[in-house]
Amino acid sequence: MIHVIFNPSAAGMLRRVLSSRGIYEKVIELFDPLDWGPISAGVSERLSWLDSNAPLSETSWDWLQETEERIRNAITLDQKRLVWFSPACAVEQAGLYWYLDNFELEGRDSSL
């Protein structure tokens, strides 16, 4: 079982809670301001949008591509997943939408 979460602070808290209960399952965190810009357009289009609309002063958003690739690989390692999010938090809700867009139909007939 892996736990997927979209907030680094919450991921740390979840790790502590799980370990305090003797549960040593993997916690995967995606930190990306997914509440800004397109989510399902693809990472290159998203990076282009972020560079144009929310430029970083000393660098670019390119680090997100590596982060997303690492997260995708980690998530696909285990089919048993528990996704954590708060419906009151825009970035976590956007993270859930990103997850559903990328993994919802995995292993299913997408023509349904």
Side-chain angles (χ1 to χ4, degrees), residues 48-102:
S48 177
W49 187 94
L50 287 167
D51 282 335
S52 295
N53 294 284
L56 297 174
S57 60
E58 296 182 23
T59 185
S60 72
W61 290 93
D62 289 343
W63 60 272
L64 285 177
Q65 185 163 4
E66 180 182 317
T67 299
E68 184 177 313
E69 190 173 305
R70 182 177 42 84
I71 296 302
R72 283 178 185 276
N73 292 337
I75 289 173
T76 57
L77 290 176
D78 194 335
Q79 294 299 312
K80 288 182 69 177
R81 305 171 190 142
L82 181 57
V83 178
W84 297 82
F85 80 102
S86 169
C89 177
V91 75
E92 291 181 25
Q93 193 172 52
L96 174 66
Y97 296 146
W98 173 87
Y99 175 86
L100 293 173
D101 189 52
N102 288 278

Side-chain angles (χ1 to χ4, degrees), residues 5-24:
I5 197 160
F6 308 103
N7 177 320
S9 178
M13 180 73 71
L14 180 59
R15 285 184 185 99
R16 284 184 146 198
V17 169
L18 291 174
S19 68
S20 74
R21 296 185 176 183
I23 301 169
Y24 299 99

